[in-house]
């Protein structure tokens, strides 16, 4: 890690045993410093910015007159190994901010000066080794000798502080591990991740496309197969939520700016919202959230304490301003749809509602094939609305629900939304990566701001409590995760095309069309390939399209009214009657087999 303010510190007493995670952090942090040293040595005039440790590795952003190319990475690695073998100690030192400002100004390191000015502290610390020094809070290995097994991975562009209006920088990514075997295993995982990259698979499989030049970045076009996949996901959720007492609604995509001022988004979330649009001298905003709209629907009628909880849900499309540099396929977009819900309840119902949401979340994620999770409880941030008393009540309700469900979790201190604390759940995919999806938040604040009430048992108006929840989060993000989880080879119940009928010659075309008609009549998503191509080519193409079942028909199958069934894996299931295949697939879909 290269700069003060971007370093996590592990505080341990002398009796504490260092965990592997803590050691990895020190190792990668130290490796980053050595990499920065070498870059400045090999490419004079390079200025330092920041170099954080990230999951499984690190990066450093440089402002350099030299344009880095892949061949440079090998040169940098070679010199890094030479420095590491020198066994140079990492030494921390403390300096007044005035001294530090002059020191970095004399070196021409304007980014370090800006960081010191922003920190606004009386003193700052440096870390030095060999001939190199950097502004840093510390947490390094004792010496460079521990840096042995690492790999520089790639070069990318970035902007200073993520702001495209600021200086354009060059970023070098790397990874470091305690052993060579761990480095090799990580590189294998990276290669597998490339094969599963949804940004490549999605367009190739006809699921979605993004047209940044003509439409704009972060805006998704769902192609026919992708729209089918999304509809299957939505239909599953719709049926499940109806059974669990949710009422479906629809709200507008734009609303008057006053709505967002009342909600607090205008004051606390404006940097993530699109600019207002003026209509008839009034200002409107694309909605970044669905919650204020759901509040309006709740308030449309009067509610008795006997009616609560009221569970309102919507597949609600929202729009948030993301900087161009952080857009990433379906995972980071500007327009997305949430499986959003808001539950209006009495204070005595909070715990049960949160428990119900946790149960529902785990059921949904298990259905899609996710069984491992990381759970965190995010508490009151520095900027918040509402009273501390209500925040404490909300945090206690969430913590008690997690305890009752025996869900191990960590505490993300200060990570809550400005209007309430939350439980976040990250799912682990087949490559061991974690993805943020599900969330549940208890909110005492928006009900206060919008005067959300119910008629209590005493006949007086009482304040309702609002629980926000999303099971999958963004549908775009979740489908991107699904594509990578299954490498595009979805289980049959999810697959946009579940079966494809392949003819050997033109003589079977009419029979193939009848098969398609019969299977469609049973609700199966099926296509036919009637092209005048060799059957081997058709099978290869169907396999590349990742269709679960390939149904080959020749003269004999046509005469017997049967299908030669193959899986996309190449497994031959033999020749079976049409009805038998249909029943097998229907059962697979009904049970949502993975």
């Amino acid at each position: 890690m290269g700069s003060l303010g971007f370093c996590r510190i592990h505080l341990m007493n002398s009796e504490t045993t260092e965990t592997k995670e803590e050691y990895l952090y020190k190792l990668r942090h130290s490796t980053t410093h050595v990499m920065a040293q070498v870059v400045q040595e090999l490419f004079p005039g390079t200025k330092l910015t920041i170099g954080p440790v990230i999951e499984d590795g690190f990066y450093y952003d440089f402002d350099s007159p030299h344009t880095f190319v892949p061949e440079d990475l090998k040169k940098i690695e070679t010199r890094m190994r030479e420095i590491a073998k020198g066994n140079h100690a990492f030494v921390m030192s403390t300096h007044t901010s005035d001294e530090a400002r002059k020191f970095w100004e004399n070196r021409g390191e304007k980014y370090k000066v800006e960081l010191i000015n922003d920190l606004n502290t009386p003193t700052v610390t440096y870390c030095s080794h060999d001939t190199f020094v950097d502004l840093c809070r510390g947490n390094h290995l004792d010496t460079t000798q521990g840096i042995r097994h690492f790999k520089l991975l790639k070069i990318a562009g970035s902007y200073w502080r993520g702001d495209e209006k600021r200086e354009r920088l060059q970023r070098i990514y790397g990874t470091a591990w305690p052993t060579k075997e761990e480095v090799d295993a990580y590189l294998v995982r990276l290669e597998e991740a490339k094969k599963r990259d949804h940004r490549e698979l999605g367009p190739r499989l006809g699921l979605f496309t993004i047209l940044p030049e003509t439409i704009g970045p972060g805006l998704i076009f769902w192609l026919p197969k992708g729209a089918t996949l999304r509809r299957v996901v939505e239909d599953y959720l719709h049926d499940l939520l109806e059974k669990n007492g949710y009422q479906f609604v629809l709200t507008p995509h734009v609303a008057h700016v006053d709505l967002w001022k009342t909600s607090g988004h205008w004051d606390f979330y404006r940097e993530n919202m699109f600019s207002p649009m003026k209509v008839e001298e009034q200002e409107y905003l694309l909605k970044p959230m669905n919650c204020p709209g759901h509040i309006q629907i709740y308030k449309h009628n009067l509610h008795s304490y006997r009616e609560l909880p009221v569970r309102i849900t919507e597949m609600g499309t929202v729009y948030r301003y993301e900087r161009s540099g952080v857009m990433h396929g379906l995972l980071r977009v500007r327009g997305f749809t949430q499986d959003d819900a808001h539950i209006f309840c009495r204070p005595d119902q909070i715990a049960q509602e949160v428990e119900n949401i946790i149960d529902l979340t785990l059921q949904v994620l298990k259905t899609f094939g996710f069984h491992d999770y990381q759970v965190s409880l995010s508490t009151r941030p520095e900027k918040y609305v509402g009273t501390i008393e209500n925040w404490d009540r909300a945090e206690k309700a969430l913590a008690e629900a997690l305890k009752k469900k025996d869900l191990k979790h960590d505490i993300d201190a200060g990570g809550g939304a400005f209007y309430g604390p939350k439980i976040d759940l990250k799912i682990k995919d087949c490559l061991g990566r974690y993805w943020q999806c599900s969330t549940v938040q208890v909110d005492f604040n928006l009900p206060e701001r919008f005067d959300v009430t119910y008629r209590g048992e005493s006949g007086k108006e009482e304040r309702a409590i609002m629980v926000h929840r999303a099971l999958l989060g963004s549908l775009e993000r979740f489908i991107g995760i699904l594509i990578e989880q299954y490498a595009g080879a979805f289980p049959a119940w999810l697959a946009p095309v579940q079966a494809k009928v392949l003819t050997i010659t033109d003589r079977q075309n009419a029979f193939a069309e009848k098969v398609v008609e019969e299977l469609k009549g049973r609700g199966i998503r099926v296509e036919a390939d009637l092209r005048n191509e060799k059957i081997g080519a058709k099978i290869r193409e169907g396999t590349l399209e990742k269709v679960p079942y390939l149904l080959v028909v020749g003269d004999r199958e046509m005469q017997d009214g049967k299908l030669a069934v193959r899986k996309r894996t190449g497994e031959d299931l033999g020749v079976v009657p049409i009805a038998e295949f249909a029943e097998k697939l229907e059962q697979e879909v009904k049970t949502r087999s993975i």
Side-chain angles (χ1 to χ4, degrees):
M1 196 101 96
S3 62
L4 195 64
F6 291 83
C7 180
R8 184 184 67 178
I9 300 178
H10 301 289
L11 299 177
M12 301 177 289
N13 60 41
S14 59
E15 298 177 355
T16 302
T17 301
E18 186 178 65
T19 66
K20 182 174 182 180
E21 288 72 22
E22 291 166 337
Y23 174 75
L24 282 172
Y25 186 88
K26 287 183 176 182
L27 171 63
R28 291 164 180 164
H29 187 177
S30 303
T31 307
T32 309
H33 276 233
V34 174
M35 180 180 74
Q37 175 189 4
V38 172
V39 170
Q40 284 202 311
E41 280 185 9
L42 295 181
F43 309 106
T46 297
K47 297 186 188 327
L48 302 173
T49 65
I50 61 169
V53 172
I54 56 176
E55 186 177 3
D56 292 332
F58 57 85
Y59 70 77
Y60 208 113
D61 283 345
F62 300 100
D63 185 349
S64 179
H66 174 77
T67 300
F68 299 135
V69 294
E71 291 75 19
D72 292 331
L73 300 185
K74 190 65 177 176
K75 298 175 187 175
I76 297 169
E77 281 184 1
T78 300
R79 177 60 181 142
M80 286 174 66
R81 296 186 197 284
E82 293 174 357
I83 292 171
K85 288 177 183 177
N87 198 25
H88 305 288
F90 288 101
V91 179
M92 297 300 299
S93 58
T94 301
H95 308 266
T96 69
S97 291
D98 287 340
E99 290 172 342
R101 197 175 290 108
K102 291 177 183 177
F103 175 80
W104 294 105
E105 282 176 349
N106 290 337
R107 287 181 162 228
E109 297 284 5
K110 65 176 184 177
Y111 302 101
K112 299 300 180 182
V113 174
E114 182 176 330
L115 289 170
I116 293 169
N117 290 337
D118 288 350
L119 284 168
N120 194 27
T121 55
T123 62
V124 296
T125 53
Y126 301 168
C127 178
S128 61
H129 74 274
D130 192 20
T131 62
F132 183 75
V133 62
D134 204 350
L135 184 68
C136 182
R137 279 183 175 169
N139 205 22
H140 293 271
L141 300 176
D142 292 335
T143 74
T144 59
Q145 195 170 37
I147 301 169
R148 295 174 184 156
H149 308 291
F150 62 90
K151 180 71 176 175
L152 300 188
L153 301 170
K154 64 179 181 178
I155 301 159
S158 64
Y159 293 98
W160 174 232
R161 296 192 155 177
D163 186 348
E164 61 266 29
K165 296 178 182 178
R166 298 294 305 270
E167 294 87 342
R168 177 79 173 177
L169 306 174
Q170 297 181 79
R171 177 174 296 177
I172 298 178
Y173 284 95
T175 190
W177 298 83
T179 66
K180 181 180 183 300
E181 290 73 20
E182 287 172 292
V183 173
D184 292 341
Y186 176 68
L187 295 178
V188 169
R189 292 199 302 273
L190 278 186
E191 284 303 311
E192 182 61 28
K194 287 180 183 177
K195 295 176 186 176
R196 294 169 177 267
D197 191 334
H198 76 282
R199 294 170 297 175
E200 298 291 331
L201 284 173
R204 176 154 61 82
L205 295 176
L207 301 177
F208 69 89
T209 188
I210 303 172
L211 305 170
E213 302 302 325
T214 56
I215 303 300
L219 301 171
I220 308 303
F221 283 77
W222 292 98
L223 302 176
K225 290 180 181 178
T228 298
L229 170 61
R230 176 168 163 159
R231 176 175 56 79
V232 172
V233 173
E234 290 183 7
D235 287 349
Y236 162 68
L237 289 173
H238 190 283
D239 292 345
L240 183 67
L241 294 177
E242 273 196 334
K243 293 174 184 176
N244 281 270
Y246 285 82
Q247 303 175 60
F248 278 79
V249 300
L250 292 170
T251 57
H253 290 229
V254 298
H256 197 282
V257 69
D258 287 350
L259 181 73
W260 309 108
K261 290 180 178 179
T262 301
S263 70
H265 289 90
W266 184 252
D267 293 323
F268 292 90
Y269 201 73
R270 195 186 318 181
E271 65 181 16
N272 300 109
M273 299 165 70
F274 280 96
S275 300
M277 63 185 82
K278 186 165 284 190
V279 181
E280 296 178 346
E281 301 305 313
Q282 299 289 315
E283 286 191 323
Y284 292 81
L285 285 166
L286 286 168
K287 65 174 177 177
M289 305 279 186
N290 296 303
C291 28
H294 290 184
I295 290 173
Q296 303 310 307
I297 288 175
Y298 173 85
K299 292 185 67 174
H300 181 71
N301 295 313
L302 299 175
H303 298 276
S304 161
Y305 73 97
R306 297 179 185 276
E307 297 174 53
L308 272 52
V310 173
R311 305 182 185 103
I312 294 175
T313 189
E314 176 181 13
M315 295 297 174
T317 301
V318 297
Y319 304 88
R320 298 178 188 172
Y321 172 65
E322 297 280 5
R323 298 184 186 279
S324 298
V326 301
M327 236 69 75
H328 186 84
L330 296 179
L331 305 182
R332 197 79 178 261
V333 295
R334 285 178 173 168
F336 59 94
T337 301
Q338 293 178 303
D339 65 317
D340 213 356
H342 296 90
I343 298 153
F344 301 87
C345 61
R346 305 188 307 264
D348 63 292
Q349 295 173 319
I350 295 174
Q352 187 60 57
E353 286 304 308
V354 173
E355 290 172 30
N356 292 346
I357 291 167
I358 292 173
D359 288 340
L360 200 57
T361 298
L362 298 182
Q363 178 184 346
V364 167
L365 295 177
K366 181 180 179 181
T367 298
F368 287 103
F370 298 102
H371 303 276
D372 295 327
Y373 323 99
Q374 283 184 347
V375 184
S376 63
L377 172 58
S378 301
T379 58
R380 187 175 70 249
E382 184 178 342
K383 293 183 179 181
Y384 64 92
V385 295
T387 66
I388 290 180
E389 178 185 12
N390 279 341
W391 272 86
D392 290 344
R393 291 169 62 195
E395 289 173 9
K396 182 180 179 182
L398 293 177
E400 288 178 349
L402 288 171
K403 183 178 180 181
K404 189 166 183 179
K405 292 301 173 184
D406 196 28
L407 281 176
K408 293 181 180 178
H409 63 281
D410 57 27
I411 303 296
D412 180 11
F418 71 86
Y419 50 81
K422 60 180 180 173
I423 294 171
D424 286 326
L425 192 150
K426 294 181 179 179
I427 56 176
K428 184 179 181 181
D429 71 8
C430 61
L431 295 182
R433 301 172 300 181
Y434 284 92
W435 304 93
Q436 172 63 52
C437 290
S438 313
T439 187
V440 52
Q441 306 165 358
V442 175
D443 187 353
F444 291 91
N445 300 305
L446 285 180
E448 290 279 353
R449 297 172 79 93
F450 282 99
D451 191 25
V452 180
T453 64
Y454 61 91
R455 184 65 55 85
E457 193 171 3
S458 66
K460 296 181 180 179
E461 293 297 310
E462 298 184 23
R463 180 72 61 219
I465 308 302
M466 186 174 174
V467 179
H468 308 243
R469 77 104 187 97
L471 304 179
L472 302 181
S474 155
L475 289 183
E476 282 74 8
R477 180 179 176 80
F478 187 74
I479 290 175
I481 295 168
L482 278 182
I483 294 170
E484 300 200 359
Q485 168 78 354
Y486 293 108
F490 301 107
W493 76 275
L494 277 173
V497 178
Q498 297 168 319
K500 199 164 191 176
V501 182
L502 314 177
T503 55
I504 294 177
T505 70
D506 291 346
R507 291 192 300 274
Q508 296 94 40
N509 285 359
F511 174 70
E513 289 172 346
K514 288 182 180 179
V515 171
V516 169
E517 185 178 351
E518 181 175 342
L519 294 179
K520 282 186 175 180
R522 300 183 68 150
I524 293 171
R525 299 186 291 277
V526 59
E527 295 179 347
D529 187 345
L530 308 180
R531 296 173 302 155
N532 186 20
E533 295 282 352
K534 291 182 179 180
I535 190 62
K538 292 183 179 183
I539 290 172
R540 282 193 298 274
E541 189 165 320
T543 301
L544 289 173
E545 292 173 354
K546 303 184 184 290
V547 177
Y549 292 100
L550 303 175
L551 313 176
V552 178
V553 294
D555 288 340
R556 179 167 294 182
E557 287 80 18
M558 180 173 63
Q559 290 170 6
D560 297 341
K562 294 183 177 181
L563 305 167
V565 182
R566 295 172 57 96
K567 285 189 171 183
R568 62 187 161 208
T569 58
E571 182 182 355
D572 188 344
L573 300 183
V575 179
V576 301
I578 299 171
E580 182 179 326
F581 167 74
E583 288 167 6
K584 177 185 182 304
L585 182 51
E586 285 170 345
Q587 183 63 23
E588 204 173 327
V589 171
K590 181 179 179 181
T591 58
R592 297 189 176 91
S593 299
I594 299 299

